């Protein structure tokens, strides 16, 4: 097969693997540069944090279930658990890379030091990519670049926001450097940040440390991976019908439904976890242990730290945590592309200006794409799969972007909506199903729901009322997978199979239509009674 345009892909994590495969599907010639000696990116565990690479702790499990976070033509093995340890994800990614023959396009232990426009960029759209390997520097010309280096690399460590921290005598480090709990045996630990990492670390340390305190500035919704009737949370919550209701019901009703869902397991007010603005759709924290740890007194939740002393932290409510041995900052990450001129990906008031989170809108040629630089309630793998498929078609020239004016208008409109739904600090957040449908529309792979109801009602019911799994975006159009229909109709079988280690009856699959009918039965009944009485 004669290859087309040459594409440089930076990073061989989930986004990089998706991009290599998408380039190959479009007849492009990919070359992937990976700094480490293996694929996996974020999911590749290492006993120490490596400069310029994402880093996870040993006990990390997925927050998305396997049926919702697979490549859309490559389901996980039936016996894989629904929520997987990082080693299982690495095993899956390795199998995917081998199945799709991607490894031969990756140059390992190769660091990208610079990506620059060529002098004739305005007409060719080409880039000079300089790499380093074993002390040797090389430069090559590429027709396009796909940036797949992620946004969990450069830790945000806001020490200047905490007066007195420079006098604190205990240890102080970012959660990126946390690996396992053994060294904290008998210690008193303060975790700053109520995100996924902060809560994971706090609950894990609670079994070995003397006392663990979490300090939170604004609170968070904390939900369980185990949802109604024991089903995985995302297979119940992330549905097309649910998204339709959220985006079309009156705001008051939509907010009521959202808060009812978030409080389904326990009342957040009672646990000190309630977000300051509870109706914002900020991504919730997924933690199955935290409420129990709070009930048992081995984890406490406190407000923001007002100041530090040599051995303690004084909180904004006037209380103090004494004798602290260690402070762990679970305060997130900052984005940085050190190899790229800042003018390429512009930053406006802490808002990254990218069309659909992928393309810089002001370039003369759309030959650079950022893959994986969005966050949503949905899983990363299906998202980057669609992003890379769209980007590959734009690079090839079979799909064109709107005018600069239209792209900027879309960016501004979406940013206003994000502020309303997620708050000013969550500029990467997006509505998963709406976003996936936007991308899939560009390349002609969005499912036609009305047509499905006319031609395949059984499939349509599962697509619309059931989980919005990645298979939906390989049902039709370019890259169509013949197994997509069957994968959708059997997704609950694969989800429930690993639970059947002791069979006590037939599998109990959910009935989503009746679930929604039951949810709205009480409000409808009350309205009917009100109308009769009046």
């Amino acid at each position: 097969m004669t290859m087309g345009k040459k594409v440089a892909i930076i990073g061989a994590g989930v986004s990089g693997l998706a991009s290599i495969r998408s380039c190959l599907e479009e007849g492009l010639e990919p070359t992937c540069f990976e700094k480490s000696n293996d694929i996996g990116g974020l999911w590749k565990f290492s006993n120490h944090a490596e400069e310029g690479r994402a880093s996870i702790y040993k006990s990390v499990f997925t927050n998305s279930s396997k049926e919702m976070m697979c490549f859309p033509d490559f389901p996980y093995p039936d016996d894989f658990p629904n929520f997987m340890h990082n080693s299982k994800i690495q095993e899956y990614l390795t199998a995917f890379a081998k199945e799709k023959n991607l490894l031969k396009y990756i140059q390992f232990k190769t660091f990208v030091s610079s990506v620059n426009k060529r002098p004739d960029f305005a007409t060719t759209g080409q880039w000079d990519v300089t790499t380093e390997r074993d002390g040797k520097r090389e430069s090559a010309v590429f027709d396009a670049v796909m940036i797949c280096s992620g946004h969990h690399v450069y830790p945000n460590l806001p020490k200047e926001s905490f007066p007195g921290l420079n006098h604190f005598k205990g240890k102080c480090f970012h959660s990126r450097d946390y690996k396992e709990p053994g060294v904290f045996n008998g210690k008193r630990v303060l975790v700053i940040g109520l995100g996924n990492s902060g809560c994971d670390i706090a609950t894990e340390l609670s079994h070995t440390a003397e006392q663990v305190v979490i300090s939170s500035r604004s609170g968070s919704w904390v939900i369980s991976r185990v949802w109604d009737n024991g089903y995985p949370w995302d297979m119940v919550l992330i549905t097309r019908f649910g998204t339709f209701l959220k985006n079309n019901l009156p705001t008051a009703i939509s907010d009521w439904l959202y808060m009812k869902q978030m409080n389904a397991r326990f009342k957040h007010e009672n646990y000190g976890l309630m977000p300051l603005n509870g109706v914002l759709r900020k991504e919730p924290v997924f933690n199955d242990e935290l409420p129990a740890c709070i009930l048992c007194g081995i984890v406490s939740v406190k407000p923001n730290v007002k100041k530090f002393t040599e051995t303690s932290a004084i909180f904004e409510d006037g209380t103090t945590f004494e004798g602290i041995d260690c402070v762990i900052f679970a305060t997130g990450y900052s984005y940085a592309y050190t190899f790229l001129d800042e003018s390429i990906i512009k930053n406006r008031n802490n808002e990254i200006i990218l069309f659909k989170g992928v393309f810089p809108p002001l370039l003369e040629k759309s030959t650079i794409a950022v893959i994986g630089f969005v966050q949503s309630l949905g899983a990363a793998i299906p998202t980057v799969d669609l992003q890379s498929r769209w980007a590959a078609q734009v690079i090839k020239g079979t799909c064109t972007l709107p005018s600069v004016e239209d792209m900027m208008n879309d960016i501004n409109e979406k940013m206003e909506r994000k502020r309303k739904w997620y708050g000013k600090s969550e500029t990467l957040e997006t509505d998963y199903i709406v976003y996936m449908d936007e991308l899939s529309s560009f390349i002609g792979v969005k499912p036609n729901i009305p047509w499905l109801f006319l031609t395949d009602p059984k499939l349509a019911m599962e697509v619309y009322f059931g989980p919005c799994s990645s298979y939906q975006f390989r049902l039709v159009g370019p890259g169509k997978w013949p197994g997509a229909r069957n994968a959708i109709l059997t997704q609950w079988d694969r989800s429930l199979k690993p639970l059947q280690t002791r069979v006590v009856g037939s599998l109990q699959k959910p009935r989503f239509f009746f679930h929604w009918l039951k949810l709205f039965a009480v409000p409808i009944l009350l309205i009917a009674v009100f109308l009769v009485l009046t």
Side-chain angles (χ1 to χ4, degrees):
M1 178 180 176
T2 302
M3 304 301 285
K5 294 179 179 179
K6 294 183 177 181
V7 182
I9 297 170
I10 304 173
V14 167
S15 299
L17 295 177
S19 296
I20 298 170
R21 197 270 285 268
S22 295
C23 285
L24 294 175
E25 285 185 322
E26 295 301 325
L28 304 174
E29 183 179 344
T31 302
C32 179
F33 302 107
E34 169 55 43
K35 185 178 180 180
S36 73
N37 62 356
D38 202 355
I39 64 171
L42 176 70
W43 294 106
K44 177 63 177 178
F45 174 75
S46 172
N47 283 314
H48 62 279
E50 301 174 28
E51 185 65 28
R53 289 195 68 225
S55 179
I56 56 174
Y57 34 96
K58 194 172 185 178
S59 60
V60 165
F61 280 77
T62 63
N63 291 330
S64 297
S65 63
K66 66 175 184 176
E67 288 303 301
M68 299 296 280
M69 69 174 297
C70 64
F71 283 101
D73 59 344
F74 197 73
Y76 288 87
D78 288 1
D79 60 348
F80 269 40
N82 282 276
F83 295 99
M84 294 160 287
H85 185 257
N86 59 81
S87 59
K88 285 290 187 184
I89 298 295
Q90 186 67 12
E91 183 181 334
Y92 171 78
L93 294 177
T94 301
F96 175 77
K98 289 179 179 178
E99 173 72 20
K100 304 300 180 182
N101 199 24
L102 307 181
L103 296 176
K104 67 179 182 179
Y105 299 98
I106 305 173
Q107 295 183 17
F108 292 106
K109 296 184 178 179
T110 305
F111 170 68
V112 176
S113 56
S114 68
V115 175
N116 296 302
K117 293 180 181 178
R118 287 186 57 76
D120 57 355
F121 179 84
T123 54
T124 65
Q126 291 181 326
W127 301 84
D128 283 319
V129 178
T130 303
T131 59
E132 297 177 16
R133 178 186 170 95
D134 298 328
K136 181 181 179 182
R137 178 172 290 194
E138 294 183 353
S139 188
V141 177
F142 287 90
D143 298 299
V145 176
M146 298 174 80
I147 301 172
C148 305
S149 50
H151 56 275
H152 294 94
V153 176
Y154 300 98
N156 174 39
L157 197 59
K159 291 185 177 182
E160 67 284 351
S161 300
F162 297 94
L165 186 60
N166 56 321
H167 300 299
F168 177 66
K169 291 185 175 181
K171 290 184 178 180
C172 176
F173 60 90
H174 192 272
S175 59
R176 183 176 187 272
D177 295 306
Y178 173 83
K179 292 299 174 181
E180 53 88 25
V183 296
F184 296 91
N185 186 39
K187 304 295 185 182
R188 294 171 66 80
V189 183
L190 172 62
V191 178
I192 296 181
L194 193 64
N196 283 303
S197 295
C199 291
D200 279 354
I201 292 170
T203 54
E204 184 169 68
L205 288 180
S206 70
H207 302 293
T208 56
E210 177 186 319
Q211 180 62 50
V212 179
V213 171
I214 301 175
S215 169
S216 174
R217 183 178 55 188
S218 58
S220 291
W221 293 116
V222 179
I223 66 176
S224 174
R225 295 176 177 87
V226 184
W227 205 249
D228 292 348
N229 300 309
Y231 299 118
W233 75 270
D234 48 357
M235 294 187 75
V236 176
L237 289 185
I238 303 179
T239 70
R240 291 183 173 277
F241 183 61
T243 296
F244 169 80
L245 290 179
K246 179 187 72 175
N247 293 333
N248 290 279
L249 285 172
T251 302
I253 297 177
S254 178
D255 289 346
W256 173 80
L257 276 174
Y258 177 73
M259 295 184 71
K260 180 178 173 61
Q261 285 178 332
M262 294 299 103
N263 269 321
R265 185 178 171 207
F266 64 95
K267 298 296 182 184
H268 283 65
E269 300 95 320
N270 297 342
Y271 287 71
L273 297 170
M274 182 75 178
L276 292 180
N277 189 340
V279 298
L280 286 181
R281 266 52 167 190
K282 243 172 64 172
E283 184 179 354
V285 170
F286 298 93
N287 194 289
D288 305 290
E289 287 189 71
L290 183 60
C293 289
I294 295 172
L295 276 177
C296 295
I298 52 178
V299 173
S300 301
V301 181
K302 290 288 186 178
N304 197 35
V305 175
K306 183 178 180 180
K307 67 176 182 179
F308 282 94
T309 69
E310 291 183 349
T311 59
S312 64
I314 301 172
F315 302 103
E316 289 181 344
D317 62 358
T319 59
T320 303
F321 183 28
E322 302 278 1
I324 301 173
D325 296 295
C326 182
V327 178
I328 302 176
F329 283 87
T331 44
Y333 294 83
S334 303
Y335 97 95
Y337 299 119
T338 56
F339 50 80
L340 197 65
D341 189 282
E342 290 183 358
S343 65
I344 305 298
I345 300 178
K346 293 183 180 295
N347 185 318
R348 180 183 63 187
N349 299 324
N350 201 35
E351 300 168 358
I352 309 305
I353 304 177
L354 293 170
F355 179 59
K356 304 301 182 188
V358 176
F359 286 102
L362 304 178
L363 287 179
E364 303 97 314
K365 297 287 184 179
S366 299
T367 56
I368 193 166
V370 183
I371 308 300
F373 197 56
V374 297
Q375 290 180 190
S376 72
L377 200 57
I381 291 179
T383 304
V384 300
D385 182 75
L386 261 184
Q387 286 181 328
S388 61
R389 290 166 70 188
W390 176 42
Q393 289 196 23
V394 171
I395 291 167
K396 185 179 180 181
T398 54
C399 181
T400 57
L401 297 180
S403 67
V404 172
E405 181 181 2
D406 287 345
M407 286 193 286
M408 289 304 300
N409 287 338
D410 183 82
I411 290 169
N412 292 331
E413 178 189 335
K414 291 292 193 303
M415 200 58 69
E416 285 300 316
R417 194 175 303 168
K418 286 180 181 182
R419 291 194 194 100
K420 174 186 174 184
W421 282 94
Y422 307 111
K424 292 182 179 179
S425 63
E426 303 293 329
T427 56
L428 298 184
E429 202 75 28
T430 191
D431 187 320
Y432 179 68
I433 294 179
V434 172
Y435 181 69
M436 296 289 277
D437 279 350
E438 286 179 340
L439 297 189
S440 59
S441 295
F442 285 130
I443 59 175
V445 299
K446 178 184 175 182
N448 186 329
I449 305 300
W451 180 249
L452 272 182
F453 271 107
L454 288 173
T455 58
D456 195 340
K458 181 181 180 180
L459 178 63
M461 289 291 287
E462 194 66 30
V463 167
Y464 191 65
F465 291 103
C468 185
S469 50
S470 61
Y471 316 119
Q472 295 191 12
F473 302 100
R474 291 272 180 176
L475 274 171
V476 296
K480 176 182 177 180
W481 178 45
R485 181 183 186 275
N486 183 63
I488 292 170
L489 295 178
T490 57
Q491 56 195 353
W492 282 106
D493 296 314
R494 287 186 301 280
S495 176
L496 295 173
K497 182 175 179 179
L499 304 179
Q500 300 298 294
T501 54
R502 174 177 173 260
V503 180
V504 293
S506 59
L507 293 179
Q508 300 296 307
K509 300 178 187 178
R511 303 170 73 183
F512 284 104
F513 181 77
F514 294 103
H515 165 77
W516 287 108
L517 191 64
K518 181 175 69 174
L519 181 65
F520 285 99
V522 173
I524 292 170
L525 182 61
L526 290 175
I527 292 171
V529 170
F530 174 78
L531 291 174
V532 169
L533 294 177
T534 56

